[in-house]
Amino acid sequence: MGVQGLTGFVEERGVFFTELRVRDTKLVIDGSSLYHRLCFAPDADFRRGGDYGAFAAAVRDFFGVLRACGVAPFVVLDGGRGAEDRKLPTLRGRAAEQLRAAHGLSRGAGGCLVPLLTREAFVQALGRLGVPFVQCFAEADREIAGLANRWGCPVLSLDSDFFVFDLAGGYCPLSHFQWQSVRAAAEPQGCYVPARCFSADRFCRHFGPLSKALLPLFAVMNGNDFIGLEALEVFFSKVRLPRGCAAGRGGKHLRLQGLLHWLAQFAEPVEAVDNVLKYLKKHQREEIRELLCTSMEDYAPSDVNLEDFFQKGCYESEAARKADVPQWVLDALAKGKLAPFVINALILRSTFLRVQVENMQRPSAHSTALPIRQVIYGLLLRVSHGAEDASPCKQTNELPTVCEFDRCQKTLKKTFVQAASLPSDFCDDRFPLDKLMEVPVSCRQMLLLETLGVKMSFLEPIPSHLQLAVAVTCYWIRCSEPKVNLNQLKALLLVIVSGELQRITDDPDPTVLPAEDDSVAYNEFLKWKEKKLQNNDFDLDASHSFCQWQCCLQMGFYLNQLLGTPLSEPDLSRLYTGTLVHRLYQELKSAPSVENLFVVSPKMAQLYLVLLNTVKSMVSPDFFQKMTKTKSESCKKRKASNKKKTAIRCAVPETQHLCNVNRFASLEVDD
């Protein structure tokens, strides 16, 4: 959530904070705030799709500092949007902001944009580090507050709603949590993290005194992610706020201050609400009363007991039960083994596809992964029917649809997409969604591979932890539009090999003697990388192609999870480094010898050849030669096409794969 203007208001005064030395304590961490904070490092590159290795290193360093200070972290992540989907207008606004940021970055402007796979990389990093975490069914704020109060420990976040919750251990904003400046104390307790802690008691004493019970009403009246100010503008236009703090241009903080002083005259929220309603027309009052009371419940204690989850692994949610979510889905969501994308598609039949730094003149990079998403929707929403018993037309009409919010040029649009018609094994009445894990693993693996258009025999030479990434790469090569060129493929595979080289160098297998040539190759690679990453050349079309690969990987990742991981999950922190893949692509165009970057290590050189030959075997022998010959002609056609004014419609490239998928059911355009 988030209360409009409250962070700036509190920071401007500063008197509501106390100094805190964080050590030897439990600490409840808002995971979404943390990974955004760590992602937005000052030296981060937001144009080239994310450096997940550097991000994972920052996560490791952060929790290493906490461990050194005796702090026991418990990370709580947001889940889906919730069955009521009350935050939809806010999310649409944020998606539009992200689209503007992505467009600016694509044109060389500054700005920040969370790379596509950051959340997945964060969850993987937590798992590797052994940090306890939970992913909630919906918004996590109430559950974070409830757990912190149960333990009497602080909350670490960057969400202004935690100024409103009554927290026994206080709220430490991440902006005041100096984890990179750990200090050693003279006393025996050891080192600590310098921090500042917000005191709700001090805040309320400053205004009145104001009852803490009125803070939720203050937040709701000022406007948060669930309610806007429009409904109460009549009140603000008529009420005489203390100290002449009327609404006006540039007077947002004055309004906040005046509202707090005005609320201080009331003992309870009910009395204050009654006085607010006096300023409204009679026919509006009951509707506004219900809206205010419902919104204040967002700050009430949650029915979910996260302590039970961290102690027993049991996540129980009344909201999930009402939404009829299968227990295995809820358990997998809580353990981070399913993404919020999946729960939103299941409960709301609606998803947001996050924009990247793409070529805005082309269809969204997510278009390439559409058939994979359709299979995910088919698994989640499938209706029982036999393919042989229905005409194609009848089948199409019966298939459910999902509303996708995605980019169409520089505008956010919504499109209704049909779920895929699944193979008979998955349409069997014996295997509804709640029994999906009872389908034999061989069938689940086959569905995954058929969706990606590969056979297991092709993947057998590939190390098991890279098979999913290679299968996705084969899909990307066949389905992307415009087509991938050979240097883009080589650059991507060289980055994957560099991640493998780093893995065996940093975390060697204790049962295998380390090879000296691997260490030599890695040191040579680091020298090359340090020297070459200074180049700032940026190819927008190449960026678009790599964005398509990330979209395919994300959806392949989600489908693999939904099917119970029939293929091992790749380590994202070793798999993709945007700055490196772009640099390698530039180098390969002018200096093809860079392809021999790992020749010093026979093992890595062999791995690169295996990866390259496996992917190339999935297309015709002259696939890349044809592309090279027609590149100039295609470029001319594209330029001519871009000059035409087309109807408002997001084109989706036709793709070929082994799974029977359905195209769009209908299209609806939003402003």
Side-chain angles (χ1 to χ4, degrees):
M1 293 192 289
V3 182
Q4 297 171 17
L6 185 54
T7 296
F9 177 72
V10 171
E11 295 281 356
E12 189 178 79
R13 284 145 184 82
V15 296
F16 310 127
F17 291 97
T18 57
E19 301 300 318
L20 188 66
R21 296 182 174 186
V22 182
R23 64 182 168 201
D24 302 322
T25 180
K26 289 178 177 176
L27 183 65
V28 178
I29 300 174
D30 175 355
S32 300
S33 287
L34 178 60
Y35 78 70
H36 278 82
R37 182 77 175 180
L38 295 178
C39 174
F40 291 153
D43 58 346
D45 184 331
F46 297 106
R47 294 185 83 192
R48 294 171 172 81
D51 290 353
Y52 298 113
F55 170 72
V59 175
R60 182 184 64 240
D61 292 346
F62 177 85
F63 287 103
V65 165
L66 297 190
R67 191 182 309 112
C69 296
V71 176
F74 294 85
V75 177
V76 185
L77 285 155
D78 290 325
R81 283 149 47 192
E84 296 176 349
D85 205 14
R86 293 166 50 217
K87 204 171 174 178
L88 179 60
T90 297
L91 292 176
R92 290 179 63 168
R94 288 181 186 170
E97 289 174 7
Q98 290 164 2
L99 180 50
R100 287 190 290 271
H103 180 243
L105 285 163
S106 73
R107 296 168 64 86
C112 298
L113 189 71
V114 177
L116 188 67
L117 300 172
T118 302
R119 184 191 182 95
E120 287 73 37
F122 182 65
V123 169
Q124 284 189 339
L126 294 177
R128 283 194 302 273
L129 295 168
V131 175
F133 74 93
V134 64
Q135 188 169 247
C136 297
F137 173 65
E139 187 98 9
D141 291 3
R142 294 172 63 205
E143 294 172 35
I144 290 171
L147 181 64
N149 280 338
R150 184 175 289 269
W151 288 339
C153 68
V155 166
L156 184 65
S157 179
L158 205 54
D159 185 334
S160 56
D161 277 307
F162 291 106
F163 291 125
V164 177
F165 283 102
D166 188 7
L167 299 170
Y171 162 45
C172 293
L174 270 160
S175 52
H176 294 289
F177 192 77
Q178 302 175 52
W179 66 275
Q180 292 172 308
S181 304
V182 174
R183 297 176 189 172
E187 54 266 35
Q189 290 96 323
C191 62
Y192 63 89
V193 178
R196 301 181 78 201
C197 188
F198 173 79
S199 167
D201 288 328
R202 184 177 290 193
F203 182 80
C204 288
R205 281 198 302 271
H206 187 82
F207 299 101
L210 172 70
S211 168
K212 284 193 285 187
L214 286 160
L215 287 180
L217 178 59
F218 159 72
V220 170
M221 291 182 68
N222 187 59
N224 62 17
D225 286 351
F226 290 127
I227 181 173
L229 293 172
E230 296 81 7
L232 294 173
E233 279 306 314
V234 173
F235 164 79
F236 283 109
S237 67
K238 293 181 178 179
V239 70
R240 190 176 181 83
L241 295 176
R243 300 186 183 181
C245 301
R249 188 172 182 178
K252 181 175 285 188
H253 287 180
L254 293 177
R255 175 188 279 196
L256 287 173
Q257 182 172 299
L259 180 58
L260 286 163
H261 282 292
W262 185 83
L263 288 171
Q265 65 185 300
F266 307 110
E268 297 291 337
V270 173
E271 182 186 359
V273 169
D274 287 340
N275 277 271
V276 170
L277 298 178
K278 289 178 182 178
Y279 292 89
L280 307 182
K281 294 179 180 179
K282 288 184 179 180
H283 72 274
Q284 293 180 311
R285 291 176 183 175
E286 287 311 308
E287 180 184 353
I288 300 300
R289 184 195 301 276
E290 184 177 349
L291 180 63
L292 291 173
C293 292
T294 300
S295 299
M296 283 191 289
E297 289 175 7
D298 294 323
Y299 300 95
S302 169
D303 67 297
V304 178
N305 183 354
L306 288 186
E307 186 176 41
D308 278 352
F309 176 82
F310 286 118
Q311 291 180 350
K312 306 171 188 175
C314 178
Y315 184 90
E316 297 288 343
S317 164
E318 182 63 28
R321 278 194 293 272
K322 287 180 179 177
D324 199 25
V325 176
Q327 189 60 46
W328 80 266
V329 172
L330 186 61
D331 290 342
L333 183 75
K335 294 173 183 176
K337 295 179 180 178
L338 284 178
F341 171 91
V342 171
I343 207 72
N344 289 334
L346 175 63
I347 300 299
L348 303 173
R349 298 196 180 191
S350 169
T351 62
F352 279 84
L353 303 177
R354 288 194 29 249
V355 69
Q356 303 172 82
V357 182
E358 322 171 8
N359 186 337
M360 300 291 174
Q361 300 304 312
R362 297 191 183 280
S364 164
H366 288 285
S367 300
T368 306
L370 171 64
I372 309 176
R373 296 197 301 277
Q374 288 177 294
V375 174
I376 293 173
Y377 302 152
L379 286 167
L380 293 171
L381 307 173
R382 66 190 185 279
V383 291
S384 296
H385 62 267
E388 65 279 4
D389 297 330
S391 67
C393 181
K394 184 178 178 182
Q395 271 188 266
T396 300
N397 291 337
E398 288 179 353
L399 291 169
T401 60
V402 172
C403 173
E404 294 186 340
F405 290 89
D406 192 12
R407 175 186 71 78
C408 178
Q409 295 191 344
K410 293 179 283 186
T411 309
L412 184 70
K413 304 293 181 185
K414 68 178 180 181
T415 307
F416 290 90
V417 175
Q418 281 187 334
S421 177
L422 299 176
S424 57
D425 287 336
F426 293 88
C427 293
D428 194 318
D429 288 339
R430 295 173 301 162
F431 300 120
L433 180 60
D434 59 346
K435 297 187 183 300
L436 179 59
M437 290 304 104
E438 296 179 21
V439 176
V441 66
S442 59
C443 294
R444 287 183 269 131
Q445 184 184 85
M446 185 177 297
L447 177 61
L448 173 66
L449 294 178
E450 285 186 346
T451 303
L452 297 177
V454 299
K455 294 180 180 179
M456 196 63 207
S457 57
F458 283 95
L459 299 179
E460 285 172 355
I462 307 298
S464 61
H465 60 284
L466 294 179
Q467 287 177 344
L468 179 61
V470 171
V472 164
T473 304
C474 292
Y475 174 95
W476 170 64
I477 288 289
R478 288 188 354 269
C479 300
S480 63
E481 182 62 42
K483 295 299 182 185
V484 176
N485 69 47
L486 186 57
N487 284 335
Q488 290 168 358
L489 172 62
K490 288 179 177 180
L492 184 62
L493 297 181
L494 285 169
V495 170
I496 293 175
V497 172
S498 74
E500 279 299 285
L501 184 58
Q502 182 186 17
R503 182 181 65 82
I504 64 174
T505 305
D506 292 351
D507 306 307
D509 185 342
T511 64
V512 179
L513 289 174
E516 184 178 347
D517 48 24
D518 289 338
S519 298
V520 172
Y522 188 53
N523 289 332
E524 289 299 312
F525 165 69
L526 290 178
K527 291 177 186 175
W528 177 91
K529 181 180 174 183
E530 184 68 25
K531 180 175 65 175
K532 293 295 183 181
L533 287 184
Q534 305 305 317
N535 190 303
N536 288 321
D537 290 346
F538 183 73
D539 185 322
L540 185 57
D541 283 332
S543 179
H544 193 86
S545 187
F546 294 132
C547 285
Q548 289 178 320
W549 182 82
Q550 285 210 62
C551 292
C552 295
L553 180 63
Q554 183 187 49
M555 290 304 149
F557 202 84
Y558 290 170
L559 178 57
N560 188 49
Q561 287 184 330
L562 184 58
L563 292 169
T565 57
L567 293 182
S568 300
E569 283 191 356
D571 179 352
L572 297 174
S573 69
R574 311 279 196 205
L575 202 62
Y576 188 84
T577 301
T579 51
L580 181 57
V581 77
H582 277 257
R583 185 63 218 136
L584 281 164
Y585 174 64
Q586 295 291 344
E587 281 286 301
L588 284 162
K589 290 193 294 184
S590 58
S593 60
V594 75
E595 193 175 358
N596 301 319
L597 194 56
F598 304 107
V599 72
V600 178
S601 166
K603 186 192 304 180
M604 292 299 107
Q606 177 64 21
L607 175 61
Y608 172 69
L609 288 176
V610 168
L611 296 177
L612 181 61
N613 291 333
T614 299
V615 177
K616 288 176 71 175
S617 71
M618 297 301 298
V619 295
S620 62
D622 59 347
F623 178 87
F624 293 107
Q625 285 81 354
K626 282 182 178 179
M627 281 186 48
T628 303
K629 290 176 184 177
T630 59
K631 181 179 179 183
S632 176
E633 183 180 345
S634 298
C635 186
K636 290 177 182 177
K637 288 182 179 179
R638 187 172 69 248
K639 287 180 179 178
S641 175
N642 287 341
K643 291 179 181 177
K644 295 179 180 178
K645 292 186 177 180
T646 58
I648 303 176
R649 180 179 182 273
C650 287
V652 179
E654 292 295 330
T655 58
Q656 294 180 350
H657 56 98
L658 302 182
C659 213
N660 174 24
V661 299
N662 297 276
R663 308 308 300 163
F664 291 108
S666 61
L667 183 73
E668 182 177 336
V669 176
D670 273 1
D671 294 331

